[in-house]
Amino acid sequence: MIRKRFSVDEILNEFNNKSNLSDLISQFVSLEPRGNSFVGKCPFHNEKTPSFNVNNDKGLFYCFGCKAGGNAINFLSKYKNYSFQESVKFLAEFAGIRISVENLEDKETNNRKYEILEVSKTFFQNCLEQNEFAIEYLKKRVGNGSTLKKFCVGYCPSDRMLIDFLKNNGFSEQEIKTSDLLIINKENKFFGRFRNRIIFPIYNTAEKVVGFGGRSLTKDTKIKYINSQESDIFKKSNILYGLKQNIETIRRMKELILLEGYMDVISLHNYEIKTAVSTMGTTLSRTQILKIWNLCDMPYVCFDGDEAGQLSAKKIAIKLLEFLTPGKSIKFIVLPVNEDPDSFLKGNSPQDFEKLKHSHKDLSELIWEIILESLEENTPEYLALLNSKINSFASKISDKTVSAEYHRFLRNKKDQYIWNLNKQNNSSRLINPKKADKFVNEKLLVNFMLFDVKICSEYVEEISKLKFKNSVLEKIKEELLYNFSQNKYNSDIQYKEKI
């Protein structure tokens, strides 16, 4: 009987008993024997001198340069960007370990699903070459045939052509119906899910086609983009589109840019920006977040510059808070209003896009903006809500150290905001020089005569020669001069009220 559950230690022991870790890793890294170990250049950072060590006896690897290390599962998770389950499955297949009870019929069904999707991908690519309208559309959007081939972009023709092709390649009608390439309509008839659409193959981390995305070529279509339905082999929350094509550059540059759609990823690749991926929607799952951070500590998010795109970016910002750990965060590239990455690069240069990257907005700054936007007014009552909002956002962060730092940062932003608000209010009360009283100099002199008698008495003669334009002030000046002549220095309140 095959056991349903194994502990991690049991799986690793079974693997180490049947295989060598060096045999597994040498599939991806060039290793040379050295003593009881194997050494090579680390796949997780750039280095000239090999510092990556594999010990078969211990079943562990370690890099003395970047400090990456662990067992076979850790290596697959980090290098292949696999989930734990994917790593275990790969390990089991590599070593011939039967670790779970799996219905053989279901396994065979899944294999046939992979096969039919792979064959369909090739069919769609061939159809694209024969469709001038689709080719012209893609030339305007992308313009580079080699980029389209790298992403295996295709075109889906009529249902009949697709069905006939698949049948000719040995697939039964039932297999075709369950492949998700067809949809049942209200009349209980099958029609093509992707017909008359540009096709984007979607790959899992094992680089197998698990589904498709389709983009309409006509403006009158209600739904511009559609994806394959989720199935046992296609989970949207596990997929990052473009990772297959860009993963090596992402690893080498330690940079990742998260975009909204397939065309944006392809467009950036066409402009030699080969670090972009996209989700199957505008949100991020926990699995996708951890996959991204496994590849890059500080990835970018670059969504459309319109209101919808920026709202999606803010939703991602809030969701990310829960998963923040020391050294892991995200940056936001802010595009001009109504621009998307593709349109921006068409009207500008890759260097201009680099400038946008350098002027990015940090996650912490965006969270503060979100808090401020929630304020309806700058009254004491609403300002008092800032503390509770700050506490609410900081408490979303599971890591206590990061949570405390965010709380401190947001409180400082609040204090600075209120200080600037008070400064602005106070400055608005000051006299505008352009609107200053035109008799201000005459008033100042009268005030000196009232309150600085000693100085003014020395300049009685000069003051007496002055003629004020304001008749009231002129009268006060004459009365004060008379008082000076009579040695009467009375700064009576009656004068103050007139000034």
Side-chain angles (χ1 to χ4, degrees):
M1 180 178 176
I2 306 168
R3 288 174 61 185
K4 291 184 178 181
R5 294 184 179 275
F6 279 73
S7 69
V8 175
D9 288 337
E10 287 175 317
I11 293 170
L12 290 170
N13 286 335
E14 189 75 1
F15 167 77
N16 290 328
N17 288 335
K18 293 191 174 186
S19 304
N20 288 322
L21 181 59
S22 61
D23 294 334
L24 170 70
I25 294 179
S26 62
Q27 289 190 99
F28 315 105
V29 181
S30 179
L31 297 175
E32 294 180 2
R34 183 176 296 177
N36 295 326
S37 302
F38 289 80
V39 296
K41 291 184 179 179
C42 181
F44 306 122
H45 80 287
N46 294 324
E47 62 177 10
K48 294 181 180 180
T49 304
S51 62
F52 185 78
N53 187 284
V54 180
N55 189 307
N56 285 330
D57 294 335
K58 296 180 179 179
L60 299 173
F61 72 91
Y62 184 76
C63 176
F64 293 92
C66 68
K67 312 303 180 187
N71 54 43
I73 294 175
N74 300 138
F75 178 84
L76 291 170
S77 297
K78 191 170 181 63
Y79 185 83
K80 297 289 287 182
N81 209 29
Y82 281 177
S83 65
F84 174 79
Q85 289 82 359
E86 290 171 333
S87 297
V88 170
K89 185 176 179 181
F90 185 98
L91 209 60
E93 291 177 354
F94 178 82
I97 304 169
R98 302 173 70 190
I99 60 171
S100 64
V101 176
E102 183 176 21
N103 187 292
L104 295 178
E105 184 181 345
D106 289 344
K107 183 176 181 179
E108 180 62 27
T109 300
N110 283 346
N111 286 339
R112 290 293 283 174
K113 285 182 180 179
Y114 288 127
E115 288 174 18
I116 196 170
L117 294 177
E118 181 65 29
V119 169
S120 298
K121 179 199 76 174
T122 304
F123 172 71
F124 294 145
Q125 284 183 279
N126 293 335
C127 289
L128 176 62
E129 295 176 0
Q130 301 168 23
N131 190 296
E132 293 184 7
F133 182 73
I135 290 173
E136 285 302 313
Y137 169 82
L138 289 168
K139 278 183 178 179
K140 291 178 182 178
R141 289 295 305 266
V142 181
N144 190 324
S146 62
T147 302
L148 293 175
K149 287 181 179 178
K150 183 162 187 176
F151 284 84
C152 302
V153 178
Y155 171 77
C156 180
S158 68
D159 310 342
R160 192 70 263 162
M161 287 180 66
L162 174 60
I163 292 171
D164 289 345
F165 177 83
L166 292 174
K167 282 185 176 180
N168 291 336
N169 278 269
F171 295 100
S172 67
E173 188 170 323
Q174 183 60 29
E175 287 175 327
I176 297 171
K177 288 180 179 179
T178 57
S179 67
D180 195 48
L181 295 170
L182 302 176
I183 303 174
I184 301 177
N185 62 18
K186 294 179 181 178
E187 298 172 356
N188 206 32
K189 293 182 180 180
F190 284 92
F191 68 96
R193 177 183 292 277
F194 299 105
R195 65 180 177 184
N196 300 325
R197 290 177 179 268
I198 300 292
I199 300 298
F200 305 92
I202 300 168
Y203 295 85
N204 63 11
T205 50
E207 300 188 359
K208 290 183 178 181
V209 179
V210 293
F212 296 103
R215 206 276 187 200
S216 173
L217 285 172
T218 57
K219 294 182 179 179
D220 57 349
T221 306
K222 293 181 179 179
I223 305 175
K224 186 189 294 185
Y225 285 97
I226 58 173
N227 293 321
S228 295
Q229 290 191 102
E230 291 214 346
S231 65
D232 49 351
I233 66 170
F234 177 48
K235 305 291 183 186
K236 287 192 286 186
S237 60
N238 294 339
I239 303 293
L240 291 171
Y241 180 81
L243 190 61
K244 173 185 180 294
Q245 293 83 1
N246 291 333
I247 190 167
E248 294 304 324
T249 307
I250 290 170
R251 278 206 184 101
R252 186 177 71 254
M253 296 183 65
K254 297 295 181 184
E255 176 186 282
L256 186 146
I257 305 172
L258 181 69
L259 306 176
E260 284 190 67
Y262 317 119
M263 290 301 295
D264 291 329
V265 173
I266 296 172
S267 179
L268 261 66
H269 193 282
N270 192 48
Y271 285 96
E272 297 299 316
I273 302 172
K274 301 177 180 180
T275 56
V277 298
S278 72
T279 60
M280 299 292 101
T282 55
T283 187
L284 272 176
S285 68
R286 179 181 183 276
T287 300
Q288 289 168 327
I289 292 169
L290 297 181
K291 278 187 176 183
I292 288 172
W293 274 335
N294 190 35
L295 293 165
C296 176
D297 291 340
M298 293 284 177
Y300 294 94
V301 168
C302 183
F303 282 4
D304 294 354
D306 59 11
E307 186 177 349
Q310 293 310 297
L311 180 61
S312 297
K314 289 171 183 176
K315 288 180 179 178
I316 282 180
I318 295 172
K319 184 163 188 175
L320 279 167
L321 290 175
E322 177 186 352
F323 307 101
L324 290 177
T325 56
K328 302 284 187 182
S329 189
I330 205 159
K331 305 170 184 178
F332 293 84
I333 299 172
V334 182
L335 291 172
V337 177
N338 296 327
E339 292 269 29
D340 57 40
D342 178 53
S343 66
F344 179 84
L345 283 165
K346 277 183 170 60
N348 300 275
S349 66
Q351 289 73 28
D352 292 322
F353 189 77
E354 283 295 315
K355 291 178 183 177
L356 286 181
K357 278 169 55 182
H358 289 303
S359 60
H360 65 266
K361 187 176 293 181
D362 290 331
L363 173 62
S364 54
E365 289 289 345
L366 185 56
I367 292 299
W368 172 244
E369 285 185 14
I370 293 170
I371 292 174
L372 273 189
E373 288 171 358
S374 67
L375 284 182
E376 296 182 23
E377 295 181 36
N378 284 324
T379 60
E381 295 86 354
Y382 282 106
L383 289 174
L385 290 174
L386 279 175
N387 283 340
S388 63
K389 290 181 181 292
I390 288 170
N391 292 336
S392 174
F393 277 94
S395 65
K396 293 179 185 291
I397 304 171
S398 300
D399 186 282
K400 292 183 179 179
T401 304
V402 179
S403 178
E405 289 300 326
Y406 258 75
H407 190 271
R408 185 180 295 109
F409 171 84
L410 294 172
R411 284 298 296 269
N412 287 339
K413 295 292 285 188
K414 173 214 165 186
D415 293 342
Q416 184 181 3
Y417 175 76
I418 293 178
W419 188 87
N420 288 334
L421 199 63
N422 291 334
K423 182 180 178 182
Q424 182 180 358
N425 291 337
N426 290 335
S427 65
S428 66
R429 297 190 190 103
L430 297 176
I431 297 174
N432 187 334
K434 293 182 180 180
K435 296 182 179 180
D437 193 327
K438 61 182 179 180
F439 304 117
V440 65
N441 290 331
E442 296 175 1
K443 287 184 176 182
L444 286 171
L445 182 54
V446 169
N447 272 287
F448 268 108
M449 294 175 72
L450 281 168
F451 299 107
D452 207 332
V453 177
K454 184 178 180 181
I455 294 177
C456 288
S457 62
E458 295 177 7
Y459 297 95
V460 169
E461 187 176 348
E462 287 82 354
I463 295 172
S464 63
K465 293 178 181 180
L466 296 174
K467 180 67 176 177
F468 287 178
K469 292 181 180 181
N470 185 292
S471 59
V472 175
L473 294 173
E474 175 68 17
K475 184 177 180 181
I476 294 174
K477 183 199 75 172
E478 292 298 329
E479 290 179 4
L480 289 173
L481 286 173
Y482 176 78
N483 288 339
F484 283 136
S485 67
Q486 300 297 318
N487 292 321
K488 296 178 181 179
Y489 309 118
N490 181 19
S491 56
D492 197 279
I493 189 68
Q494 62 176 325
Y495 293 130
K496 299 176 192 175
E497 290 174 347
K498 292 178 181 179
I499 296 174

